Amino acid sequence: MAFGKYSRGDGRKSSSSYCSTVTLVVFVALCLFGVWMMTSTSVVPVENVEATSHESRNDMKEHVSESYEHSPINENNESNPKQFEDSPGDLPEDATKGDINVSSAQEEDNNSQVKATETTMEGNQEEKPETKPVNENVEETESDDAPKTETQNGEGDSNMENSDSEAGETKTENNDDKSGSEGDSEEGSEKKSDENSRESQNGEEVDGQIEEKVEQNEDKESVQSSGSKKEDGQAKGLASSEVFPSGAQSELLNETTTQSGAWSTQATESKNEKEAQNQQAGYNWKLCNVTAGPDYIPCLDNWKAIRSLHSTKHYEHRERHCPEDPPTCLVPVPEGYQRSIVWPTSREKIWYHNVPHTKLAEVKGHQNWVKVSGDYLTFPGGGTQFKNGALHYVDVIQQALPDIAWGKRTRLVLDVGCGVASFGGFLFDRDVLTMSLAPKDEHEAQVQFALERGIPAISAVMGTQRLLFPGRVFDVVHCARCRVPWHIEGGKLLLELNRVLRPGGFFIWSATPVYRKLSEDVEIWEAMKQLTKSICWEIVSITKDRVNQVGIAIFQKPSSNECYEKRSQNEPPVCQVSDGPNAAWYVPLQACLHKVPVDASERGSQWPEQWPLRLEKPPYWLLSSQVGVYGKAAPEDFSADHEHWKRVVNKSYLNGLGISWSTVRNVMDMKAIYGGFAAALKELNVWVMNVVPIDSPDTLPIIYERGLFGIYHDWCESFSTYPRSYDLLHADHLFSKIKKRCNIVAVVAEADRILRPEGKLIVRDNVETINQLESLLKAMHWEIHLTYSKDNEGLLCVQKTMWRPTERETVTYAIA
């Protein structure tokens, strides 16, 4: 009985428990079904919904908080970000990586913002953003006076002549010496907030650009207010005609990040950035271990090649001997190096530790070349032939020959055997541009002194090969006690000067044979008179500088062939017709005479316009029948290039890159075309070395005709200058071209070599090349000030730092 009682009792209890269980299961099922129904429109996987939602909300919260931190504040201290257009164009994914974009209208009430945001997010999750127009409900919530995008207006910056005026993707990094960096200032470009930045310093500047752009386009809607700013960031995957929805940023925290929507996840972005950083840190830069140390010039310090020379009679050991594989290591910085003194103070003094050489001060101190004064090297402005000052010497020449007309008729001067280049340094006061040259180490770092002072100079020698200039380009050639034996070997060296001297130009020679009566001097003078007569140079002036106690002889090259045709002897001979005077890259010297052009349409048949008119006017010998570099008629091509660079420099480079131009003096355009970039910098206290690559159209004669100067070069080799020579390098589509036949790492190492610490590099190139350069430069610890990209074209502005690697690489051919 006991058993039966307990059995009946257990049976009732079991039945009741069973019913409760069934009820609970049904309730749970209904709850799950309800949850499933509520989330059926989301593409978030069912598994781990809570975890995924929580993680996504945290990511979004962190990012949006940062966006608020970067958002500019209006006068009422209210964050008021505007709408903006996403226009990635055809950029590759790695070129558009960045923060999630959030765009919102003015704050109304939280409830309406929640609805607008939820509706928009659901619409983006359900339909592809590339084909689905913006949700109408979202448009209704937009502020009426919000600025219209270019697509909404039915117009865009594609009507502009150049992509510099188009909006694109911009990334900036703040640095100590900048108040902010931005892309081309004529572009209303969206800026990507850098992950390392904690302040947005460019808000007012961007807003000003937006307002300026709106004023220029009357049919565009007005900007909401001067206090409103564009929200930083760039979205990925949206078509150019689609606009981000509106809504308060804080309400977006209620939404979960989708896996297939318009926005990428923070996890993906972080992963991509880590991979990019690993790649950037992948290249291991090393320090060059060479005999020349901080003064290393690879093509001039190739001791392996120098030791194998059969003769040094013609200064072959001072000529270029470039290694087959250019170095990929970095040149060390002298101990105690400091940022160079700015022009014009640098003309009088430089930091001793930047060029720690005292030999010239010891040997030439009495001639006022250079003196040591505490932490400085000072330059009184003297020279061997003008120890009492270069300016007085310059004025004596003008008085002796008024036709020389410094700064008007005479704009371009070649100073051979320049010393520390005080002659060229003080000719700046007369609006004259001087190319100074001297061999390396003949007087220990004389060219390095010149460059540190802010005076144009290159390391070169008149030996067995032509100078790297076109024919008939210099208005004046000057040689003051340069000790060049002009008269030997058929006058081969003087004939090289004849090649580069413009017809009607002057050769100024102040040397002891002009005024001394020693037998050796008299013999050289007689030989010089005979040689100059045979090449039809006329002595137009012999004068004496009584202050400096030197004599100055001035010769003039003929402007016609009449004298050549009347010579009784064809000695030196006239060059063959096939011998082009412009050919200069590793061309051996020949003792022959190039005739003067006689055709009125040929360069050299007449003198160019006086300075500064010659800068902007197309040369007379550019004909409409000729096709320019960009495909237009040559004169139109020239003018279009000039206007393009004026616009880019004035509206972007001078204001938009955060460069303090007062600290810039030595500039190099690594791939010049017509010299438009240099011409646009005319009003600044800078000089520009225009480099025309040997595989580019030969436009260097045009650059000289404008009153600018430059040189031929192959960037697969080292440039003939000392390390730390330039304050700013400019490369317009150079690296993408040169990397097809050179090791781009070596070219980047060369750029580092010739750029001063804290110097700037501006690169315009395709996005692939920009990304590759950015990777290499970050590995070199350069500061990335700005990157900008649109339609596969990019702009990069970076600054070199004082960082040097600790690991060394011995360059065996550079060990003496």
Side-chain angles (χ1 to χ4, degrees), residues 313-335:
K313 178 181 177 181
H314 298 96
Y315 282 80
E316 292 92 339
H317 60 300
R318 300 302 183 196
E319 293 182 324
R320 292 171 60 84
H321 302 282
C322 297
E324 184 175 350
D325 295 320
T328 56
C329 52
L330 306 182
V331 177
V333 175
E335 185 177 352

Side-chain angles (χ1 to χ4, degrees), residues 499-512:
R499 180 185 73 87
V500 300
L501 184 61
R502 191 183 301 279
F506 299 105
F507 174 60
I508 302 173
W509 191 40
S510 63
T512 54

